[in-house]
Amino acid sequence: KQWYQRRVRGYIGSVEATEGEWVGVEWEEEGRGKHDGSYKDKRYFTAKQGHGSFVRTHKIAEGWSFSDVLKRRYSDVSGSGDAMSIINKDNSSTNVELVGLSDSDLNRAATLENLVIREESIGSVGEEEFIKEKCSNTINLDMSLNLFFDVQQILDILHCMPMLQSVQLKGNVLVKRDVRPVTSPHCNLRRMYLAGTGFSWEELCRFVAHFPQISEVYISGRTLQIGNTPPNLFQSLTILDLQHSGLSDWTLISQLSTLPLLHTLILSNNDFSSVQVVRGEFVKLEALSLDSNRIGDWESVASLRNLPLLRTLRIRQNPLITGPALDMRLLVVAMLPDVTKLNGTPISPNERLQADIFYLKHFGGAYHKGEPGFHTLHPRFKELVEEYGEPAKGAPKIASIADQSVVVTVIKPDGKEFEKKLLKTTLVKNLQVIVQRQCRILPKHQQLFWLDQDGERIALDDATRDLAYFGITEDCTVYVEQAAK
């Protein structure tokens, strides 16, 4: 049972037409508050409608200190013996027998290498010397969904853990986000999760300055305006996650292009309507996620070719075309010949060939008409014409690949069935992977076959062949049998 209902402080000070000091809070429970942080047409803080309240300071519980929770949860953790005692929230004691653990396992339990203290209503530091003693070997720390409101409190705790490499702070909405200048940097921390903490870009930079070896930053949950980044900051950064950050201006993202080691950039669930990557930007970037934005022009996709090392791309749920998602996938595959994985799925040589041909036919009409700016929008088209030849004049624009795909019904060994839409060029080995997921049968133990119009059994016995090779047609039924092991 939670000792405190969780709430986030959004304001501390006076309120017009009242006396004394108030604390503005945002409740997690919908309807618990009375407003959205405004009172008499004046905004004091921002909250969801019906979540905001003003509470007198003496009614605000500060919660536990970090050291209190450590004492309560780990009263006696030592590396000797085969049991340890854990103090519960009601101060009762639970003896935990450590069964089947090696000496190294016992040592890890004793030194709290992996420390998870989530939703414990922690709002202060407590005894730093005790924390240093218990957490001197802590490597991974999760303090998500607590009541911290001052970032300096968090810094004080992290500096008590010299071996710390990863910290999760999600859901601690920090009201006070100013930190002291760096005097003693923490040189081991590599990874931090900051979703919902409320950092602006400038505040994030000042916070991260305390961790010169940081390589992964995950932050989201507010509107970020990417500003100036100190020249010596983020020199070790390899992964930057800016999901749900209200970003819409690619020129701001371009300011990050000089980060020397950045290889993964996650920009999903933002508000980009276009992407303009220019040659020389993000020269180390290997993976980019643009899911769930508003990108609707092919010029944006074409500009991604200016990322010389890009191999992994996610670009689902963008209005590039109004047709089937499979159509969009093929067009993106054709436009980006160096990408090897799209939307989480590897691109096979067979799919790339199919994509190139589909792309030529889809835009063949615009090519022959000589539409203005065509080659700017489709710089890959000329390369494909040189490789495959020009698409026939007058050939209709392909609106869908329905004529190149089939819906296959697969009958499992237990008689249950499922449907799957597949390209005729899908290899049997890829179908075997689908069957493995559905039936829990390894490919080497699968026997796949279908029955033609005469009832003759056609075995899909060559995993390197595609479905078309075996004559698979629309609404075909494929049967799965499990071979004897």
Side-chain angles (χ1 to χ4, degrees):
K1 180 180 178 180
Q2 285 292 89
W3 284 52
Y4 301 98
Q5 286 185 297
R6 181 171 152 70
R7 52 188 177 265
V8 172
R9 284 168 283 194
Y11 172 78
I12 302 175
S14 61
V15 175
E16 185 179 350
T18 66
E19 296 181 356
E21 189 174 59
W22 294 86
V23 178
V25 300
E26 181 178 5
W27 300 90
E28 281 194 335
E29 302 89 349
E30 184 178 1
R32 179 69 188 273
K34 298 180 179 180
H35 49 72
D36 63 354
S38 300
Y39 180 70
K40 290 190 174 181
D41 297 325
K42 181 178 180 180
R43 177 164 299 283
Y44 293 87
F45 64 100
T46 300
K48 294 179 182 178
Q49 183 61 44
H51 288 250
S53 295
F54 288 104
V55 182
R56 288 295 186 183
T57 54
H58 69 274
K59 292 186 177 181
I60 296 293
E62 292 295 327
W64 300 99
S65 72
F66 188 86
S67 60
D68 285 340
V69 173
L70 278 180
K71 291 177 182 179
R72 177 159 50 82
R73 290 187 54 182
Y74 305 101
S75 63
D76 180 20
V77 182
S78 62
S80 59
D82 57 1
M84 68 178 181
S85 177
I86 297 179
I87 301 299
N88 303 313
K89 285 188 175 182
D90 60 1
N91 290 322
S92 63
S93 176
T94 300
N95 291 319
V96 180
E97 184 178 2
L98 304 177
V99 179
L101 297 184
S102 65
D103 290 342
S104 61
D105 292 329
L106 287 169
N107 184 60
R108 280 193 293 274
T111 56
L112 304 180
E113 284 188 5
N114 300 293
L115 186 56
V116 179
I117 306 183
R118 298 168 59 98
E119 296 186 273
E120 290 283 354
S121 300
I122 301 173
S124 59
V125 180
E127 303 172 28
E128 291 189 20
E129 291 303 317
F130 179 81
I131 299 172
K132 290 177 181 178
E133 176 188 348
K134 285 293 181 182
C135 303
S136 60
N137 292 298
T138 298
I139 295 175
N140 301 300
L141 172 65
D142 187 347
M143 292 195 299
S144 300
L145 300 171
N146 280 291
L147 300 178
F148 291 107
F149 71 98
D150 188 340
V151 69
Q152 193 59 53
Q153 298 171 318
I154 291 174
L155 272 178
D156 291 341
I157 291 173
L158 300 186
H159 278 291
C160 291
M161 306 177 185
M163 304 302 293
L164 191 67
Q165 296 181 18
S166 175
V167 61
Q168 294 206 36
L169 300 171
K170 294 183 291 187
N172 290 283
V173 179
L174 303 169
V175 178
K176 296 182 179 180
R177 298 185 292 271
D178 291 328
V179 296
R180 294 191 295 265
V182 180
T183 56
S184 178
H186 192 302
C187 293
N188 282 317
L189 193 67
R190 301 290 196 275
R191 184 184 306 109
M192 58 176 61
Y193 298 85
L194 304 172
T197 52
F199 279 113
S200 68
W201 184 257
E202 291 74 16
E203 292 162 345
L204 174 66
C205 289
R206 289 195 291 270
F207 180 63
V208 170
H210 287 260
F211 312 101
Q213 299 303 316
I214 196 73
S215 60
E216 300 177 26
V217 173
Y218 303 82
I219 183 169
S220 63
R222 67 161 291 167
T223 300
L224 279 176
Q225 291 296 324
I226 308 295
N228 293 327
T229 303
N232 295 323
L233 198 63
F234 295 127
Q235 294 301 293
S236 299
L237 193 67
T238 59
I239 300 176
L240 179 59
D241 185 345
L242 298 173
Q243 295 187 71
H244 296 283
S245 295
L247 296 167
S248 60
D249 187 350
W250 185 262
T251 60
L252 298 179
I253 300 300
S254 295
Q255 297 180 41
L256 305 174
S257 66
T258 58
L259 298 181
L261 300 179
L262 186 67
H263 64 63
T264 300
L265 182 58
I266 304 171
L267 299 172
S268 301
N269 298 286
N270 280 289
D271 202 34
F272 294 104
S273 59
S274 64
V275 173
Q276 306 94 27
V277 181
V278 300
R279 196 173 299 277
E281 289 186 343
F282 297 106
V283 295
K284 296 288 186 179
L285 198 67
E286 300 174 11
L288 175 63
S289 180
L290 294 168
D291 285 343
S292 302
N293 279 278
R294 295 190 301 111
I295 300 168
D297 63 291
W298 290 109
E299 190 173 3
S300 291
V301 178
S303 77
L304 299 180
R305 288 198 70 184
N306 290 322
L307 300 172
L309 298 183
L310 184 66
R311 298 296 179 267
T312 300
L313 174 66
R314 301 189 70 96
I315 196 168
R316 284 196 181 104
Q317 296 182 336
N318 283 279
L320 284 165
I321 61 173
T322 58
L326 192 55
D327 289 12
M328 188 183 83
R329 176 180 173 86
L330 288 179
L331 294 174
V332 173
V333 168
M335 294 182 74
L336 302 174
D338 295 324
V339 170
T340 58
K341 181 182 288 188
L342 179 62
N343 298 331
T345 304
I347 300 169
S348 68
N350 203 40
E351 182 184 19
R352 186 166 295 285
L353 174 62
Q354 179 75 22
D356 290 347
I357 295 172
F358 177 69
Y359 181 69
L360 282 171
K361 292 180 179 180
H362 188 85
F363 291 110
Y367 167 76
H368 285 299
K369 290 178 182 178
E371 292 184 358
F374 177 83
H375 289 290
T376 300
L377 290 172
H378 303 284
R380 181 93 205 286
F381 203 91
K382 183 178 179 180
E383 299 173 17
L384 295 178
V385 167
E386 292 176 354
E387 184 172 355
Y388 299 105
E390 288 190 347
K393 288 185 178 182
K397 175 181 175 180
I398 298 176
S400 173
I401 57 166
D403 59 336
Q404 304 173 55
S405 61
V406 290
V407 176
V408 176
T409 300
V410 180
I411 307 295
K412 301 180 184 180
D414 60 5
K416 296 180 180 179
E417 63 182 54
F418 65 92
E419 285 189 349
K420 196 72 177 177
K421 186 174 184 179
L422 302 168
L423 287 172
K424 295 177 182 177
T425 54
T426 299
L427 300 180
V428 171
K429 66 179 181 181
N430 294 331
L431 177 58
Q432 289 176 329
V433 172
I434 296 172
V435 170
Q436 180 180 354
R437 292 172 182 164
Q438 293 284 339
C439 304
R440 300 293 188 267
I441 302 175
L442 293 174
K444 65 181 180 181
H445 298 309
Q446 296 175 19
Q447 289 183 347
L448 308 180
F449 65 93
W450 74 285
L451 302 177
D452 65 13
Q453 293 180 346
D454 298 324
E456 183 179 350
R457 175 169 170 153
I458 309 295
L460 310 184
D461 52 6
D462 187 342
T464 65
R465 298 285 189 176
D466 59 23
L467 300 183
Y469 176 82
F470 292 99
I472 296 289
T473 58
E474 181 70 11
D475 297 325
C476 182
T477 299
V478 172
Y479 296 85
V480 180
E481 292 181 349
Q482 185 169 2
K485 298 181 180 179

